[in-house]
Amino acid sequence: MGEFIWFCQICSVLLLLLFLSESHRSLSLSPSSLDSAPLCLSNDRTALLQFRSAVSIDDSDGGYPKTKWWNESTNCCTWEGVTCDKATGQVIGLDLSDSRLVGSLSPNTSLFRLQGLQQLNLAYNNFSASSIPPGFSQLVSLTNLNLASSSFSGLVPSDTSLLSKLISLDLSSNDLKFDSHSFSMFILNLSKLENLSLDYINMSNIVPTSFINLSSSLKHLSLEICGLQGEFPSEIFQLRNLEYLDLSSNSLTGYLPKSNWSSSLEYFSLYSNHFRGSIPASIGNLTKITSLYLSSNEFHGQLPSTLFNLEQVTDLALSDNRLEGFLPAHVSKLQSLESLSLDNNLISGAVPSWLFTLPSLEFSGLGYNRLTGPVIEIQKPNSVQTVYLECNDIHGELPSSFFDLANLTDLDQSSNNLSGVIKSDMLSKLENLKTLDLSSNNFSGVIKFDVLSKLKNLTTLNLSNNKLSMTGVNSTFQELEKLDFSSCNVRQFPHFLRWTKSLEFLRLSNNAIEGSILKWESEGWEGLYNLNLSHNSLTSLEQYPGKNLGILDVRFNKLQGPLPVPPLTDYLRFFLVSNNNLTGEIPPSICNLTSIELLDLSSNSLGGIIPACLGNFSPSIFIMNLQMNNFKCW
């Protein structure tokens, strides 16, 4: 009986193995296996392996070394970055972007033997400032070529213009240059081109009119920082399929077309050129535009009202021009607008409330214009994060609703005529603030730093040139780096801020600080680099605040006694102590300040012999002023 059971168990195992074998066989014949990679052509495999052996792989971090896993014993159609034609097995695509390749391409590179290649991407590698070899014209089927950011240099080979099937070409961010004749042929022959990216390529010798012959099928043209100069043909703006155009940071001139804009345009940048004339009302016909950058040009005339009808626009930048006119009082169509830059123009009128109510607006730049009137009450404040309204003529008080902009991170309303009492508890409601600049206005009141310290993210605070005073107990600002409270009513050195460990810039000039700064008051501020206490009534300094000062300005005080030399530091560049009542000789310890570039001890009562280290003109000192003292001859 036991033998029978044993026999049945053996049969069960055999049946199970047979079942698993049949299951594996059926899986191998499944439809997915029929769609597996085709068998690579031996010639293509050999060409790929020869290319791999001609370059090396950088061992540094970043990227993914696709060729490292190529194995000559496996089907090359399964290799990383390789795409084959499913019917013929011919290699038609090679994507080795960001593969940490190092080396160069020789004129007889084996890549040119991949006769079926349609797409080639070698972007984001390091070809060691080598030139792009002639021979790409051998790849007669090539439609997409990407060599961006791969450290190529020299002239773009002329036979590139023979790639008549090319749809997309990206040579950007290389140290390349076009021959003017070759470029003209290039533009004429590539009649199927849809995407052309030549950013950072030297095209200073290319006549802009050459671009008139660009293919009407063009969708993407990017020519950022190419050294282009001269008048750019406005006909390009009217190519019917054009979706993306970037001409930023060149020296181009020209005009915007008054009609027949490409209705397909989504991205349009002329930033930092010399385009002139007015911005036509027809720009409102760009119904698909999402990004419009016309800043830093020479546009003038009225700001067209049609700009405010662009329903899809997210970024609208027209700063640094000479545009005039008024902002509309009401805007209903800019519901997608995230960033608005109109600073440094001639725009006048009131500050419209929609700057603070449009639902998507995060950045608003309107500084250096001629805006007037008060900031009106804000209904349903939006999520705006950055507001720049500096250097206008805005007056009146800030409405209480302004402090309901809870998402504000950067606020600059300096150099206006704003007035009223600034209350610390109102400012502390803006709990996400990083930068606050209300300088050069007519605000009054007492700034309570112990209340203001609730702004845990604050890095820059400028309240200078107002009618303010400060008070506090132990105010701790974890992130505060810059504090400017000059030209206010400060009468005491703010020792209560000494726990503010990140402070780098402290300016308290033009105040009424009297007497001495005691040693215990000046402790802390390990990172303090720039200290300005000029134009006060200080009589002595027991110790300079900080130990790593780079700029120290205590001019126009009433300092008495010997010259207080800062502690030895490798950072001190400017030491300004003029117009005080200092007496005695210059101590020899000043010779230890070997990094000084500007030394001003003028208009004191210092005497004795000038230390030899100053007489020999320390090589680091560019400017030294010792006038109006009582020094003896050398």
Side-chain angles (χ1 to χ4, degrees):
M1 183 69 178
E3 291 180 351
F4 177 78
I5 294 174
W6 176 81
F7 176 78
C8 290
Q9 289 176 338
I10 293 295
C11 291
S12 298
V13 171
L14 291 174
L15 287 171
L16 177 62
L17 291 174
L18 181 62
F19 173 78
L20 291 174
S21 175
E22 289 298 317
S23 297
H24 175 75
R25 183 179 176 186
S26 63
L27 286 172
S28 65
L29 295 176
S30 64
S32 61
S33 67
L34 294 175
D35 293 335
S36 61
L39 186 62
C40 175
L41 300 182
S42 60
N43 288 341
D44 287 355
R45 181 175 63 251
T46 301
L48 290 172
L49 291 172
Q50 287 179 354
F51 169 73
R52 184 186 68 172
S53 64
V55 294
S56 57
I57 295 175
D58 186 355
D59 291 331
S60 62
D61 294 334
Y64 179 70
K66 298 173 186 176
T67 59
K68 185 176 183 178
W69 316 115
W70 289 2
N71 189 331
E72 60 183 5
S73 63
T74 59
N75 181 5
C76 78
C77 292
T78 65
W79 293 352
E80 287 275 0
V82 178
T83 302
C84 295
D85 185 279
K86 292 183 179 180
T88 65
Q90 193 173 36
V91 174
I92 58 174
L94 183 60
D95 183 357
L96 298 180
S97 58
D98 202 15
S99 294
R100 293 167 29 189
L101 300 179
V102 178
S104 61
L105 295 181
S106 65
N108 59 349
T109 175
S110 58
L111 290 180
F112 294 156
R113 301 208 304 269
L114 299 172
Q115 291 298 300
L117 201 61
Q118 298 173 17
Q119 300 186 8
L120 175 60
N121 190 344
L122 298 176
Y124 303 103
N125 288 292
N126 183 6
F127 289 99
S128 309
S130 62
S131 59
I132 298 175
F136 275 92
S137 59
Q138 299 174 50
L139 302 175
V140 294
S141 299
L142 203 62
T143 60
N144 295 71
L145 177 60
N146 190 345
L147 303 179
S149 300
S150 285
S151 299
F152 285 111
S153 65
L155 284 173
V156 177
S158 59
D159 72 332
T160 308
S161 64
L162 301 178
L163 296 171
S164 59
K165 294 183 180 180
L166 210 58
I167 295 174
S168 178
L169 176 64
D170 191 345
L171 301 177
S172 58
S173 300
N174 286 292
D175 189 17
L176 295 169
K177 187 173 184 178
F178 268 103
D179 171 78
S180 57
H181 175 71
S182 297
F183 184 76
S184 296
M185 296 303 298
F186 171 87
I187 292 295
L188 282 171
N189 292 345
L190 301 185
S191 58
K192 297 182 179 180
L193 204 61
E194 295 181 5
N195 303 297
L196 178 60
S197 296
L198 302 175
D199 298 335
Y200 299 94
I201 299 229
N202 186 346
M203 303 181 71
S204 56
N205 62 337
I206 302 300
V207 180
T209 51
S210 304
F211 290 96
I212 291 179
N213 296 316
L214 276 168
S215 167
S216 60
S217 60
L218 194 69
K219 295 180 180 179
H220 180 115
L221 177 61
S222 191
L223 300 169
E224 181 182 4
I225 312 181
C226 290
L228 288 164
Q229 48 194 327
E231 186 161 338
F232 193 81
S234 61
E235 290 89 340
I236 303 302
F237 308 148
Q238 299 171 316
L239 291 174
R240 64 177 181 272
N241 295 303
L242 193 63
E243 299 173 357
Y244 185 106
L245 177 62
D246 189 350
L247 302 176
S248 55
S249 300
N250 286 287
S251 296
L252 293 166
T253 64
Y255 300 88
L256 298 179
K258 296 188 181 300
S259 60
N260 299 323
W261 285 85
S262 169
S263 59
S264 301
L265 264 176
E266 298 176 7
Y267 183 102
F268 183 47
S269 178
L270 302 181
Y271 169 75
S272 190
N273 277 284
H274 302 289
F275 282 85
R276 52 193 188 272
S278 61
I279 297 178
S282 60
I283 203 166
N285 296 331
L286 302 179
T287 55
K288 296 182 179 180
I289 199 79
T290 59
S291 301
L292 180 60
Y293 302 106
L294 303 179
S295 296
S296 299
N297 279 280
E298 298 171 16
F299 293 116
H300 63 268
Q302 293 291 311
L303 191 68
S305 59
T306 53
L307 277 172
F308 303 96
N309 295 327
L310 300 174
E311 296 186 7
Q312 304 298 320
V313 70
T314 60
D315 297 276
L316 183 57
L318 296 98
S319 57
D320 298 300
N321 284 289
R322 290 177 291 144
L323 297 168
E324 304 174 16
F326 300 88
L327 295 176
H330 303 284
V331 166
S332 61
K333 295 187 177 180
L334 297 180
Q335 298 298 301
S336 300
L337 188 64
E338 298 175 3
S339 175
L340 174 66
S341 298
L342 288 169
D343 43 291
N344 201 18
N345 277 289
L346 303 173
I347 298 170
S348 53
V351 179
S353 61
W354 53 264
L355 291 174
F356 311 107
T357 57
L358 284 177
S360 301
L361 193 60
E362 297 179 355
F363 178 95
S364 177
L366 283 160
Y368 296 90
N369 276 288
R370 298 177 177 178
L371 295 173
T372 58
V375 178
I376 63 174
E377 287 287 344
I378 302 168
Q379 304 294 328
K380 297 182 180 179
N382 62 5
S383 57
V384 65
Q385 297 176 11
T386 301
V387 175
Y388 293 139
L389 290 168
E390 74 276 19
C391 297
N392 280 283
D393 193 24
I394 306 168
H395 59 263
E397 299 185 16
L398 289 176
S400 58
S401 57
F402 191 87
F403 299 96
D404 293 330
L405 297 169
N407 292 294
L408 270 180
T409 60
D410 299 273
L411 173 62
D412 189 344
Q413 294 214 56
S414 61
S415 300
N416 280 286
N417 287 311
L418 292 165
S419 58
V421 176
I422 288 290
K423 297 181 179 179
S424 303
D425 55 348
M426 295 180 70
L427 287 176
S428 64
K429 291 174 63 178
L430 304 175
E431 58 184 20
N432 290 304
L433 270 183
K434 295 180 180 179
T435 301
L436 174 62
D437 191 343
L438 299 177
S439 62
S440 300
N441 281 285
N442 295 309
F443 291 119
S444 59
V446 178
I447 299 299
K448 299 178 181 178
F449 274 80
D450 49 342
V451 176
L452 211 58
S453 62
K454 294 178 182 179
L455 302 177
K456 300 299 183 182
N457 300 315
L458 195 64
T459 61
T460 300
L461 176 62
N462 190 347
L463 299 174
S464 61
N465 292 286
N466 282 287
K467 300 172 183 177
L468 299 168
S469 58
M470 64 163 70
T471 185
V473 187
N474 295 336
S475 306
T476 301
F477 292 84
Q478 298 295 331
E479 305 294 334
L480 190 63
E481 299 174 358
K482 180 178 179 180
L483 173 61
D484 192 340
F485 220 87
S486 58
S487 300
C488 289
N489 293 317
V490 181
R491 296 185 178 277
Q492 288 185 320
F493 187 75
H495 62 270
F496 55 82
L497 288 172
R498 63 182 181 273
W499 291 280
T500 305
K501 299 299 184 182
S502 299
L503 198 63
E504 298 176 1
F505 178 104
L506 177 60
R507 187 179 180 195
L508 297 169
S509 60
N510 290 287
N511 279 294
I513 303 174
E514 298 179 341
S516 300
I517 295 180
L518 304 176
K519 184 175 181 179
W520 70 272
E521 291 181 307
S522 59
E523 292 176 349
W525 296 320
E526 298 298 327
L528 189 63
Y529 182 83
N530 189 328
L531 175 63
N532 191 335
L533 297 173
S534 65
H535 297 85
N536 279 285
S537 297
L538 290 167
T539 54
S540 67
L541 299 171
E542 287 189 8
Q543 178 176 299
Y544 288 113
K547 298 178 181 179
N548 296 297
L549 288 172
I551 299 174
L552 176 58
D553 189 350
V554 288
R555 295 171 299 156
F556 293 94
N557 276 279
K558 298 178 181 179
L559 296 176
Q560 302 171 5
L563 174 66
V565 176
L568 178 61
T569 172
D570 293 331
Y571 303 103
L572 193 63
R573 300 288 184 265
F574 295 179
F575 183 29
L576 312 175
V577 205
S578 66
N579 293 276
N580 280 282
N581 300 318
L582 298 172
T583 57
E585 297 185 0
I586 298 177
S589 58
I590 201 168
C591 297
N592 296 327
L593 304 177
T594 56
S595 58
I596 290 286
E597 298 174 5
L598 192 160
L599 177 64
D600 188 356
L601 307 180
S602 63
S603 298
N604 280 285
S605 297
L606 297 168
I609 298 175
I610 298 173
C613 64
L614 299 182
N616 293 331
F617 291 98
S618 172
S620 69
I621 297 181
F622 295 140
I623 299 175
M624 181 169 63
N625 189 353
L626 305 179
Q627 299 180 86
M628 305 298 291
N629 280 288
N630 301 316
F631 295 119
K632 296 179 182 179
C633 296
W634 305 106

